[in-house]
Structures are given as structure tokens and as C-alpha cells.
Amino acid sequence: MEETATDLIVGEPPKIPTEPPQLPRKSVLDMSADELVAKSIVPVKKEYICPVPIRLGSDNNGPSGDAVPASTTASARPVSKEKKSKRQLKRERNQEKQSTRNLCPMVAKTGKADSCPYNDKCRFSHDIEAFKDQKPADLEGNCPFDGDEGPCPYGLGCRFLGTHTITDVASGISNGNKNSEINGLKKDVQRLLWKNKMKFPKADAELKVLGLMGPTKSKKTPSSNNEEENQTVSNDSHVTNENGCCEMNECSLEATEKAEGNNSGDDPRPQKRGKPLNDQTSEVIGEINGSSYEVKDVDTSGEQLESNPTTDQIESDKTLKLHPREKKLIDFKDKLYLAPLTTVGNLPFRRVCKALGADITCGEMAMCTNLLQGQAAEWALLRRHVSEDIFGVQICGAYPDTVARACELIEQECRVDFIDINMGCPIDLVVNKGAGSALLSKPMRMKNVIQAASSTVDIPITIKARTSYYEGRSRIDSVIANVAEWGASALTIHGRSRQQRYTKQPDWDYVYECTKKAPQSLQVLGNGDIFSFSDWKTHKSDCPQLSSCMIARGALVKPWLFTEIKEQRDWDISSGERLDIFKDYVRFGLQHWGSDTKGVETTRHFLLEWLSYTYRYVPFGLLEVIPQKLNWRPPAYFGRDDLETLMASESAADWIKISEMLLGKVPDGFVFSPKHKSNAFDKAENG
């Protein structure tokens, strides 16, 4: 029977599906190794896979699509804290200092309540018995300063007090705590920086020669009877013009000229390089640059160090300036270079990597403005251990004058082998100030910064940059031929743009292209997701012109990567060997931050930050496809023993358990949240 139009209208319309049918979701157990790799999931052997229970109502899905248990994610979430005013915070800090939990350092060293010269005016407590009553129990093991000359510098406050002898505490003679560390900030230098009275004759002279000082002003400052102040160039005695250059007044220029021609003994800051900056008298003996050195600090009277007068005369003569080709260069060829890593790349971590095979180390990124303001926390990033035979510092600044003055200050007050200028940091806080990767979008500013820094100091200047700021625009290859002419001796290229952050694979083909365009005088290093010996070998064989490869996040996940590369093997490291590495880190941390309660908790904090990366390592013996890639997400799995299973957990509560194995119980109410949220993989923001 033939259908009519009426029948079609009266009948029910056909049902059109609004959503595609939901297919059953595959679990990790149902996927093949190739499917797991395609989804960037670590292909763990099926017998080690842990079935994850589904938590209904959760939008927190794991890498395989299965829901993550609540116990895994809740402990790693940031905890909202009540906001307090600055006045309230200051009042709480003062109250905390005066509590019995904070014993006076002098009283703790000597064990005598009357040993403090401030007596009742001291900010700290002098009640020894009350301090002992509330002090946490001692930790297991020996004092980290055991074996050093002299007693432990923390005395009664040390968490290993039971291993001290009575004569050690009674003598009250401190071993200085920092015998093996240099590049500290001296109090007299800090005061000059606080008061903006530090002189930068070399930097200001070079800025003037390069035309970066701007037109002079006719302002005149009131005369002063203090000749030292008249010859001082102030940090803030300039204004910034439209182009970001600094304009100095005539008085500042005259002061600069006087400072350049004045080598008299009344200079508050002697123009010498390489002296240690500890307030206490100490002696440092180590190997730097392949030669033995001995450093002795200044005494309490402020007398200068004894040294070779011929060398001092050459270094203090500002008329002698090295040609760029005469500067001492760092040979990066085939050397294992540990990248500067924010938060986790501290001195104890660098010591661990150095023991595992790293050749070159670099301090955490320091902001130039904070260094010039004398902030102690920023200067702590420049500290160096004597085991770091090739060591550099990384600075970050937006303007040529700031960077040049910071470089001059570092060269005179620290012992470093090179200064690295960061031009790749993607963090918004840095980029919004015009520093970091923001310089990639301003080639002229980039040129001025490099020229001002390289012409001010005699040590090598290196650059760390990304491919570009925006994807495909203002790429680094357009200026790589000029970087050497501007004064840089090496350039490290991270194969991602600032816009990418860490969300895509690094473009190593573009790194190779830039390397081939670079002049012979410029050493080019590659950077991006090196996580195994085969990664290193592949990049070196694909581009022989590449001097070396910088190792960054790969070292955070498995610091024994340096050993693998040197020994040309994949190390199936056991859980016990990994725990020994953590033990070394804790020992180095207590030596660096202190063995008292504050030092123990500081060490614990940075250990937990590191553990937020190390859980991503999957043991070599558990893999179906080798080697593991850095962007692969590990599924929930069982280890070959209980300790390995604990180390594989992505729960912050389990990281705390590992810290308690090494540093004892955490304080009441302890909460930890990773700073960089590294468990998100693509949102880590360390520059």
C-alpha cells in the first residue's frame, strides 16, 4: 500500500539519537603495550598492575580514564589558609622567637644561660630547662657534623644531641657550619645594598659606553661632608626612559668617574674577587677548576685577605680589560650539565647529582632586583659547595642596567665559573616584569642585556632560552648568529616555546637547525625531556655539532640518569639503592639548613618537594617497553617489594611516610602541598 503525505505527518517521527552511544571504557589491563604508549601511559607488565577502584561522582580521572581513589588525591590538594595581615604575622613571629621552642643560638652552643651578650634584651629564650622539656625526641643516627673540626654549631638545639659529647657542648666553639660552602652574603655588603650605597663602577662605565645610560640630567644633589657617600653610586639614582634604558644624573656620573679612578684603602668594599663571605672565620679547602685553592675569611677587624699582590694589582686595575677571545671559557663538550631547577635544584640536590656523575652544576634562578636589594633568601641561591668544580649561577632580569650591576656584584663577591642569564622562564610572575621568556619577543632588549653583562665581567656569560615566545613567531634562530657577537659564549635552547610550557613534545629538529646556524665561537646545548641514556645518545648522534645536552626534569625523577649516561647502560635500580640516595640528600640537607628543629623541617619540606617528582619513575624491570619516556604517566602498580610500592605512590601522605623514615615524625597539624603541582605533568612551571 502506498503511503500518503497525511500518513507521514500523523505517524510518529523517527527518533534521532542526540548523543553517540557510550562505549565501555578500556582499563589499563585491557590495553596492549602499543595502545598504552599511544596514550602516553607507562606500559607496566600486567602482573604488576594495580586495579584501581572506581570512585563515583569524581571528576579526577587518572591517565587511563579510571577514577583515582580519594585517598590518592585529597592529601595532595592545597589547603586554604586564613589570610593574615603583615602586622599580625610580624607579631606572631616575635612571639614565636620568644617562646621556649626557640633557644638563643649562643646559649645553645655553650650550654650556659649567661653566655648571651644581650642578656634580657635578647629576642630569644634563655630558659634551658623549659627548652629541653618541650624539645622533640632526638632522631636516629649520628649528627651530620660528626667528624668535622670542632663541636656541632647547633649545640643543645641539635636533634642528634645524644651523639654529642659533654666537652663538645661545654667548649662552645662552633665549627662554622659552612666550612664546605662559599658564596655567602657578608653583612657589610648587605648593609650597603640596603642603603643603596653600593658602587658599580664597571657596570655604569660600560652602560655609558654602550649608550644605555640615556641623556644626563642637570640635577644636583646636596653636598655632604662624607667623602665616601659622595663617591657612591646609588642603585636608585636613575630613572627609566621610554625604551627601558636608564638615565643617570650628572652627580652619579661624576661619582662613577671618581670611583673608577679611586683605589684608596678607605673603599668600604675592596675590589677583589673570589673571597668567601662567611661572617665567621673559616677555612675552605677544595678543588675548583681542577686546581687546589685555599680560602680564608676576613677577621673581625675587617682586614682583607692575604693574597698574591701581583694578582690583586692586575685585578684591581680597571684600565686592563680582557678581549672577549681572552676570557676563560667553559668547555661544555660532552659534559653532563645539570640544569638550574627552581625549588628542587638546591645545594643538597646538586651534591647528590654531583656524586652520581654530573659534571656541571648551576644554582637556582635568582632575580637581579632581589640580589641588588640585599635579600638574604635570594643570595642563598648563589651558595656553592666545594665539590661543585664547575659551577655557575643563573640570574633573571628585564633591563641591561639591572643585569650588568648584578653580574658585577656576583663577580666581585662570589666564586663562580660562569653566569647564565635566563631568557626562557615561562612563569607569569617573571614574564609580566619583562624578564625570562619575555625577552625573546624584544630582540633589541635582548641584545642590550647580553652586551651589558658580557662587557662588565670577565667570566663567561651563557644564555638559556626557549624556541620563541609565541609558537612560530620571533624564533631564536633569527638571532642565534648574533648572540656570540653580543658576548655570550654558550646558548642552551629548550625545544619548546613559552606558549607551549610543557604540554607538547620538545622540537629537537628545530634545536638541530639552530645548532647548525650558530657560529663556531658559540657553543649550543639542547634541552628537553632527556630521560635515558638512549635519549642522550640519539640527540648527540643526530646532531654532532651539539656541544652537550642539559638535563632538567629527568634528573628530578631519577638523578642516577647521570650514572646511566656515563656508564652507557639502563640501571635497574633497587628500592634500597633509591632509599640510600634519599639518605644522602637528608644528610646534605641537614648540613646545609641545620640539624636543629628548624633545619630538620626545612630539609623535610624540600625532600617532599623532590618526592613529588620521583614517584613518576617506574622501575626498569617492570616495563614492557624500554626505556621510559618523561611524558608517560605511570598507572597504579605494585612494586617488587613494599618499599618500591610505597615509592610509586602519588599520594602526598605516602611521601610523608618516606620522610618520617628519614627525619622522624612530622609535627602535629603538618600539611604538605607540592609547589609546582608536578603530579599534573603538563603544568610544572619551573623555569
Side-chain angles (χ1 to χ4, degrees), residues 180-221:
S180 58
E181 296 181 12
I182 55 177
N183 294 354
L185 176 61
K186 287 183 64 176
K187 280 296 180 182
D188 57 346
V189 175
Q190 188 179 36
R191 292 190 189 99
L192 290 174
L193 293 173
W194 283 348
K195 297 178 181 179
N196 290 325
K197 292 183 178 180
M198 178 63 71
K199 295 188 293 186
F200 302 99
K202 292 176 65 177
D204 291 341
E206 293 299 334
L207 289 169
K208 183 178 179 181
V209 171
L210 294 173
L212 300 176
M213 298 286 282
T216 59
K217 300 288 184 179
S218 59
K219 290 184 179 179
K220 293 185 178 181
T221 56

Side-chain angles (χ1 to χ4, degrees), residues 181-184 272-277 284 286-289 291-296 305 307 315 328 361 379 382-386 388-393 409-419 459:
E181 296 181 12
I182 55 177
N183 294 354
K272 292 187 178 181
R273 302 199 319 272
K275 58 179 181 293
L277 304 173
V284 181
E287 291 293 326
I288 297 291
N289 298 331
S291 60
S292 177
Y293 75 95
E294 180 175 344
V295 185
K296 295 183 179 179
L305 304 170
S307 55
E315 291 182 353
K328 180 180 179 181
T361 55
W379 276 84
L382 308 183
R383 295 201 68 87
R384 172 185 189 171
H385 192 265
V386 293
E388 300 178 272
D389 48 355
I390 305 179
F391 174 75
V393 296
L409 190 61
I410 291 172
E411 184 184 39
Q412 295 184 4
E413 302 299 335
C414 300
R415 184 183 292 271
V416 298
D417 298 301
F418 63 93
I419 297 177
I459 55 180

Side-chain angles (χ1 to χ4, degrees), residues 80-94:
S80 59
K81 297 182 180 180
E82 179 185 357
K83 291 186 178 180
K84 301 178 181 179
S85 64
K86 292 183 179 180
R87 181 177 299 177
Q88 184 178 1
L89 292 173
K90 183 178 181 180
R91 181 169 61 250
E92 291 180 357
R93 285 195 299 266
N94 292 335

Side-chain angles (χ1 to χ4, degrees), residues 204 232-234 237-238 248-257:
D204 291 341
T232 301
V233 178
S234 175
S237 60
H238 68 280
M248 302 292 294
N249 54 43
E250 290 181 353
C251 296
S252 298
L253 293 177
E254 292 175 2
T256 303
E257 295 172 357

Side-chain angles (χ1 to χ4, degrees), residues 11-26:
E12 294 183 1
K15 294 182 179 180
I16 300 175
T18 57
E19 296 181 359
Q22 295 292 330
L23 299 176
R25 182 179 296 170
K26 269 189 174 183

